Amino acid sequence: MSKYIIRRALSLIPTMFIIVTLSFFLVRFAPGGPFSSEKKVTEQVLQNLLKKYHMDEPLGKQYLRYLGDVLRGDFGPSFRYRDSTVNQLIAQTLPNSMMLGTIALSMALFAGIGVGIVSALKQNRWQDYLAMSFAVVGISIPLFVIGPLLQLILGLKLRWLPISGWITSRDGWKTLILPALTLSFPYFAYIARLSRASILEVLRSDYVRTARAKGLSERVVIGKHVLKGGLLPVVSYLGPAFSGIITGSLVVESVFAIPGIGRVFVQSALNRDYTLIMGEVIMYSLILVTMNFIVDIVYGFLDPRISYK
Amino acid sequence: MTNEVILQVKDLKTYFTVDEGLVKAVDGVSFDLHKGETLGIVGESGSGKSVTNLSVINLIPTPPGKIAGGQVLFHGKDLLAMPQAEIRQIRGNKISMIFQDPMTSLNPFLKVSTQMIETIVLHQGLDKDAAKQKAIEMLKLAGIPAPEKRIDQYPHQFSGGMRQRVMIAMSLSCNPEILIADEPTSALDVTIQAQILEIMQELTKRLGTAVILITHSLGVVAGTCDTLCVMYAGRIVERGPTDVIFEDPKHPYTKGLIRSVPRLDVENSERLYSIQGQPPNVIDLPDCCPFYPRCEKAMDICKKKYPAIANFEQGRAVSCWLYSGAKDE
């Protein structure tokens, strides 16, 4: 087992190397550049800018320089936010997105699994139909509709919750509720459908029939024999879901005025802010591969049929 | 085998509602099971063997299934009218089951010990350690080598035959009065089949357990069963002591089945006999003898009405117009 973990951890290195290399060149080959939308600057100023950021050097040399910086943990200065380095920008925004994402995903997980179990057990009855129509709505309505709708009802009409802001404002933690709710909605819907489908499959399996034939109560049959197998697909979904949700959402951050990383990410892409794009891509990939790695290991503990050698 | 009847199935009817109509999977099945008796139920796929036995312990998935009528009397108490809490005390305890596919019948996520102990603790009121000792003892009886080590393994670490031994050990661990074995050897290699049947027979004899053995193999029945029920399209067409039926089958379907078995003592110059035609589509079956399209002795009346049961000596019963009609005349 520990051998497997070490081997998997080592295999992350070439993966990350390929990601860094590919995204470095892809970003550079995109039309435009970090200074192409600047107000008119003289040729001399532009040359000075390029020189300052080493962009006058050949691409290969820039790449090697960048690789060296990244290995030292330095993502370089941002091309657009002149006073900030990429490290600073990520450090300012990523924790916010992580906190919001973790809360949202926990909510989605509890609600999704709960609803999934209930609709599987009440298959084709009104509870099931209600839950699954709700889930379809959750998947199909875009966040920029759900967000303002929640703001309108819970914020403006009922005045229960603040409509925007961040925990540093005077509303404190209450500001988290609406954006977390909005962000969790599609994840909740997906998890509910996923767990319903796999629990239904397990319910029809032979070993559940055996458990019932042994005279176990329905509570033990579900709790001990059904849930473990039935929730495994949710575990494997958690890896990509977690890395997706904590890296922020442009829509939710814009609607609720949250200082998160999602907005910075999209802005950096539009600005061709090479170093910032790269920094974010690397962060995102690192979180994604790490999460998948963790999920794989957890899976090994949950499913005895999987053995790691 | 004594004469005490422990299980009485009376006119059992189990129907399934599907999109195409009503499937009468079991339509008026009756039989008695005596203490210590081994009763075989044979029939082709879809004849209602398994549904009959799932109905006996009221484990038919509803919907789409529904027990539409009849009684299952266990020591005189109707299992079908019992509340769930009460029948759960009987399932796995007084009446236990073994299923066809040992590869899927054990929970892959739980150790064998967990699965065996939970049954014993539930029904026998033992504590966990005592239950584990009992489980190990049962595995040993079922012929599993080094049971004290293997009990803490997961099902996937056992071969198919070994898993079926685990199932047998588990199902007999509460000394049930009845063991329902639903094609216990169909999914196994031929060489393993004989071993499993032998173990099952030996253990049930020792514990005095009555067995309902569901199978489509007449060879299995001939070697193990005291009594035989032949099912066709949801009904029992012939019933009686196994040796008598093999000696002198009355129903044309039973005759056909017995003739279809390859035999070592007959010269194999002839082509092996097979019953012509296909099993009937049991959706919305009319009230005729469902076997008549394939029957060599079909008469006009066979198409119109299902034959009444004709009784013979030694507790034999046959549902066929060849006999029911003759008795009326």
Side-chain angles (χ1 to χ4, degrees):
Chain A
M1 185 73 183
S2 54
K3 246 186 192 166
Y4 170 82
I5 294 177
I6 292 169
R7 211 154 33 105
R8 270 297 302 270
L10 287 178
S11 77
L12 295 186
I13 296 171
T15 311
M16 287 309 297
F17 175 75
I18 292 168
I19 291 170
V20 172
T21 309
L22 265 182
S23 45
F24 181 87
F25 289 103
L26 280 176
V27 164
R28 298 292 167 132
F29 289 144
F35 312 117
S36 48
S37 60
E38 294 281 326
K39 277 175 235 146
K40 268 223 166 92
V41 287
T42 60
E43 188 56 29
Q44 185 55 47
V45 174
L46 188 63
Q47 286 306 322
N48 289 344
L49 273 172
L50 290 178
K51 194 167 176 60
K52 176 167 190 285
Y53 292 109
H54 304 292
M55 282 179 59
D56 52 345
E57 295 171 358
L59 204 54
K61 199 173 172 193
Q62 289 183 45
Y63 169 68
L64 290 178
R65 180 193 298 281
Y66 185 72
L67 220 52
D69 286 347
V70 168
L71 283 179
R72 267 177 269 116
D74 179 8
F75 290 132
S78 164
F79 286 5
R80 292 296 294 230
Y81 304 91
R82 293 283 146 71
D83 300 327
S84 313
T85 65
V86 172
N87 292 41
Q88 282 170 341
L89 281 169
I90 291 177
Q92 280 161 17
T93 51
L94 187 62
N96 297 343
S97 290
M98 274 181 126
M99 177 159 70
L100 187 66
T102 311
I103 295 171
L105 192 61
S106 317
M107 283 167 36
L109 200 59
F110 280 108
I113 289 178
V115 168
I117 293 174
V118 170
S119 32
L121 296 183
K122 303 275 180 195
Q123 193 199 2
N124 294 338
R125 277 180 254 171
W126 67 265
Q127 296 96 329
D128 183 27
Y129 290 132
L130 182 75
M132 284 307 113
S133 351
F134 197 59
V136 170
V137 169
I139 287 176
S140 37
I141 297 187
L143 291 183
F144 59 78
V145 176
I146 295 177
L149 213 62
L150 288 176
Q151 284 176 324
L152 183 69
I153 298 168
L154 297 176
L156 294 177
K157 294 274 183 224
L158 297 170
R159 300 201 164 275
W160 288 351
L161 295 163
I163 55 164
S164 69
W166 189 235
I167 34 178
T168 44
S169 73
R170 67 188 158 83
D171 285 317
W173 59 269
K174 274 188 182 173
T175 53
L176 284 174
I177 299 175
L178 281 186
L181 212 57
T182 311
L183 195 55
S184 72
F185 218 67
Y187 290 91
F188 150 76
Y190 190 77
I191 292 173
R193 289 166 59 99
L194 193 66
S195 45
R196 172 184 182 269
S198 66
I199 287 172
L200 276 180
E201 201 182 308
V202 174
L203 277 174
R204 283 189 220 108
S205 70
D206 287 351
Y207 65 81
V208 169
R209 186 181 56 187
T210 307
R212 292 204 171 113
K214 290 199 294 191
L216 301 176
S217 68
E218 202 59 9
R219 200 171 49 84
V220 177
V221 171
I222 303 296
K224 198 167 169 184
H225 287 266
V226 173
L227 285 191
K228 204 170 174 191
L231 294 181
L232 272 184
V234 178
V235 174
S236 46
Y237 171 64
L238 277 186
F242 189 71
S243 39
I245 205 169
I246 63 173
T247 39
S249 151
L250 170 74
V251 174
V252 171
E253 287 167 14
S254 307
V255 169
F256 294 98
I258 290 163
I261 200 168
R263 261 204 288 184
V264 180
F265 202 166
V266 175
Q267 282 298 320
S268 69
L270 293 178
N271 288 338
R272 301 282 186 275
D273 192 342
Y274 290 158
T275 45
L276 191 51
I277 299 174
M278 288 298 297
E280 311 233 0
V281 167
I282 292 171
M283 281 313 296
Y284 179 80
S285 328
L286 201 59
I287 292 171
L288 182 66
V289 293
T290 315
M291 285 315 297
N292 280 336
F293 176 45
I294 293 172
V295 163
D296 279 355
I297 290 170
V298 170
Y299 228 83
F301 283 109
L302 292 180
D303 190 341
R305 287 169 298 184
I306 296 175
S307 66
Y308 296 125
K309 283 181 197 131
Chain B
M1 180 178 147
T2 60
N3 275 331
E4 191 195 338
V5 175
I6 50 176
L7 187 80
Q8 242 183 325
V9 176
K10 283 185 177 173
D11 200 26
L12 180 70
K13 290 180 176 157
T14 307
Y15 298 163
F16 288 83
T17 318
V18 296
D19 290 341
E20 291 81 19
L22 189 66
V23 177
K24 295 182 174 177
V26 174
D27 197 16
V29 161
S30 307
F31 60 85
D32 292 349
L33 183 70
H34 299 82
K35 197 170 178 201
E37 179 185 13
T38 300
L39 173 86
I41 299 183
V42 287
E44 42 203 297
S45 306
S47 59
K49 311 178 298 264
S50 299
V51 174
T52 302
N53 288 284
L54 281 174
S55 306
V56 164
I57 53 172
N58 207 346
L59 269 182
I60 292 293
T62 33
K66 186 176 185 291
I67 295 181
Q71 284 181 310
V72 176
L73 301 176
F74 178 63
H75 289 298
K77 287 189 85 176
D78 188 1
L79 296 179
L80 302 180
M82 237 177 224
Q84 280 294 317
E86 201 175 332
I87 195 170
R88 275 204 295 267
Q89 315 237 312
I90 292 174
R91 282 185 202 144
N93 186 20
K94 304 274 184 227
I95 303 178
S96 60
M97 281 192 95
I98 304 176
F99 298 101
Q100 177 172 353
D101 191 352
M103 308 307 260
T104 55
S105 296
L106 289 163
N107 190 330
F109 300 108
L110 299 175
K111 285 177 184 168
V112 166
S113 53
T114 315
Q115 301 187 51
M116 289 191 73
I117 290 169
E118 70 179 351
T119 322
I120 300 172
V121 169
L122 177 72
H123 294 303
Q124 309 239 296
L126 297 177
D127 64 46
K128 276 197 172 166
D129 290 335
K132 189 166 182 179
Q133 283 313 310
K134 169 92 188 171
I136 291 173
E137 192 189 310
M138 288 309 299
L139 288 177
K140 197 181 229 158
L141 285 177
I144 289 186
E148 56 288 326
K149 273 186 203 145
R150 301 222 65 182
I151 192 167
D152 283 317
Q153 293 183 333
Y154 288 96
H156 72 272
Q157 291 163 295
F158 289 76
S159 67
M162 282 295 163
R163 276 189 233 184
Q164 199 62 303
R165 284 170 198 257
V166 170
M167 282 299 290
I168 291 171
M170 189 159 83
S171 58
L172 293 176
S173 60
C174 298
N175 302 336
E177 288 180 51
I178 302 172
L179 173 70
I180 300 174
D182 188 350
E183 305 208 22
T185 58
S186 304
L188 302 173
D189 285 348
V190 183
T191 45
I192 310 289
Q193 286 187 2
Q195 294 175 17
I196 294 294
L197 282 174
E198 203 172 301
I199 289 273
M200 215 175 76
Q201 250 186 312
E202 191 190 310
L203 284 183
T204 50
K205 278 249 154 61
R206 187 191 297 200
L207 300 168
T209 309
V211 179
I212 300 178
L213 181 65
I214 304 170
T215 176
H216 51 239
S217 159
L218 282 174
V220 168
V221 170
T224 48
C225 299
D226 306 312
T227 319
L228 176 61
C229 294
V230 180
M231 281 192 80
Y232 191 79
R235 313 209 207 202
I236 292 178
V237 294
E238 179 155 9
R239 188 175 78 209
T242 310
D243 43 354
V244 182
I245 290 186
F246 271 83
E247 193 73 27
D248 172 30
K250 294 224 184 278
H251 197 284
Y253 179 59
T254 320
K255 282 182 188 169
L257 281 182
I258 292 173
R259 276 182 69 193
S260 317
V261 177
R263 293 176 62 147
L264 286 175
D265 53 350
V266 173
E267 247 186 80
N268 56 0
S269 54
E270 285 175 60
R271 236 183 113 95
L272 185 64
Y273 177 80
S274 71
I275 302 174
Q276 55 173 336
Q278 294 291 318
N281 181 0
V282 288
I283 295 172
D284 295 326
L285 208 60
D287 184 38
C288 59
C289 172
F291 188 62
Y292 88 84
R294 306 170 72 185
C295 184
E296 289 169 348
K297 295 184 174 154
M299 300 176 288
D300 274 349
I301 186 148
C302 303
K303 300 173 194 170
K304 291 174 190 146
K305 221 172 150 3
Y306 193 80
I309 294 169
N311 288 300
F312 292 86
E313 69 288 353
Q314 290 175 289
R316 291 189 68 181
V318 181
S319 288
C320 177
W321 282 115
L322 287 175
Y323 309 100
S324 326
K327 226 172 65 171
D328 286 346
E329 281 163 13

